[in-house]
């Protein structure tokens, strides 16, 4: 696609105003409590590994549904997650996500329906931006957050990390309170030194060999 120049937009917009923009512009924007946040599009490796991870999670979800028919999960990539049912002017777009099957087709996905969100970090991603985004996922109460870091040296995944949501603060000194009521704690970490690949039991059993994530 040709490179699209960013137009001059107001600092804050509503979802209704965002819908009036051309699709190729609107797809580059998230709204954080109405504030316009431009989303950096990664290189081809970012898209490739996002696709492979989405496919791997979908295979794990399908197996879990086959073993437990009462469960119904959907796995998608680059889908808006609205953080509050009060309105649509506060949303994020994770690289991949798992959510409960919705009652009908073409429904919006809300944080309350979402079990897991994941981000694929290219070398160009700024850590401060990702920490802010992670904090918003946590505040919305999404139970699991996965972060996939790409290698700077070659087209490969360097590290995969799984984070679990913590909603109660630990013991702190008198008078000290956490800035956020919820946060993510590192619950799993994998590199290519882990010969068995990625193995984790939540929100359903996940087993991904490294060969499924290679070019």
């Amino acid at each position: 696609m040709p490179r699209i120049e960013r137009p001059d937009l107001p600092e804050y917009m509503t979802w209704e105003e965002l819908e009036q923009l051309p699709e190729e512009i609107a797809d580059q924007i998230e709204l954080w409590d109405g504030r316009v946040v431009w989303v950096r599009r990664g290189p081809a490796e970012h898209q490739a590994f996002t696709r492979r991870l989405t496919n791997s999670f979908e295979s794990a979800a399908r197996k879990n549904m086959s073993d437990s028919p009462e469960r119904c999960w959907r796995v998608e990539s680059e889908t808006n997650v609205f953080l509050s049912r009060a309105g649509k002017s506060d949303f994020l777009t994770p690289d991949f996500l798992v959510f409960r099957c919705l009652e009908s087709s073409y429904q919006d996905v809300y944080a309350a329906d979402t079990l897991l969100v994941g981000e694929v970090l290219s070398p160009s991603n700024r850590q401060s931006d990702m920490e802010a985004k992670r904090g918003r996922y946590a505040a919305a109460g999404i139970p699991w957050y996965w972060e996939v870091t790409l290698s700077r040296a070659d087209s490969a995944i360097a590290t995969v990390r799984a984070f679990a949501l913590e909603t109660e603060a630990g013991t702190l000194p008198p008078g000290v309170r956490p800035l956020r009521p919820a946060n993510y704690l590192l619950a799993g970490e994998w590199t290519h030194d882990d010969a068995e690949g990625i193995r984790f039991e939540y929100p359903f059993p996940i087993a991904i060999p490294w060969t499924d994530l290679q070019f």
Side-chain angles (χ1 to χ4, degrees), residues 142-163:
I142 297 174
W144 299 97
Y145 170 78
W146 284 54
E147 200 167 81
V148 180
T149 304
L150 301 186
S151 170
R152 290 181 175 272
D154 51 20
S155 298
I157 289 175
T159 309
V160 177
R161 296 183 176 92
F163 295 83

Side-chain angles (χ1 to χ4, degrees), residues 99-111:
F99 58 96
R100 298 180 184 87
C101 294
L102 305 177
E103 293 181 357
S104 60
S105 303
Y106 303 105
Q107 285 188 272
D108 294 322
V109 179
Y110 287 88

Side-chain angles (χ1 to χ4, degrees), residues 28-194:
Q28 300 181 59
I29 293 173
E30 295 175 336
L31 295 179
W32 294 19
D33 288 323
R35 182 165 62 88
V36 173
V37 176
W38 290 92
V39 179
R40 186 190 298 262
R41 292 302 181 199
E45 285 82 358
H46 176 276
Q47 312 305 326
F49 287 116
T50 295
R51 184 171 62 252
R52 283 168 171 75
L53 285 156
T54 302
N55 292 342
S56 296
F57 270 87
E58 186 171 42
S59 295
R62 287 183 179 276
K63 184 179 186 308
N64 182 246
M65 289 188 291
S66 176
D67 296 338
S68 304
E70 74 280 4
R71 297 184 174 187
C72 187
W73 316 124
R74 280 191 61 180
V75 181
E76 299 294 344
S77 62
E78 297 183 341
T79 300
N80 294 338
V81 176
F82 296 96
L83 304 186
S84 170
R85 294 190 184 274
K88 297 176 67 175
S89 298
D90 191 18
F91 72 90
L92 300 170
T93 310
D95 289 322
F96 58 93
L97 69 156
V98 179
F99 58 96
R100 298 180 184 87
C101 294
L102 305 177
E103 293 181 357
S104 60
S105 303
Y106 303 105
Q107 285 188 272
D108 294 322
V109 179
Y110 287 88
D113 306 313
T114 306
L115 279 77
L116 180 150
V117 291
E119 298 287 350
V120 179
L121 308 190
S122 304
S124 60
N125 282 114
R126 293 188 300 184
Q127 190 62 34
S128 58
D129 292 342
M130 298 314 303
E131 288 177 358
K133 194 168 186 177
R134 185 195 307 168
R136 295 186 67 78
Y137 285 134
I142 297 174
W144 299 97
Y145 170 78
W146 284 54
E147 200 167 81
V148 180
T149 304
L150 301 186
S151 170
R152 290 181 175 272
D154 51 20
S155 298
I157 289 175
T159 309
V160 177
R161 296 183 176 92
F163 295 83
L165 183 66
E166 181 188 46
T167 56
E168 295 183 4
T171 303
L172 297 172
V176 177
R177 291 180 174 81
L179 291 176
R180 299 188 181 97
N183 204 354
Y184 287 112
L185 296 179
L186 184 62
E189 184 173 31
W190 303 270
T191 68
H192 285 272
D193 291 335
D194 299 294

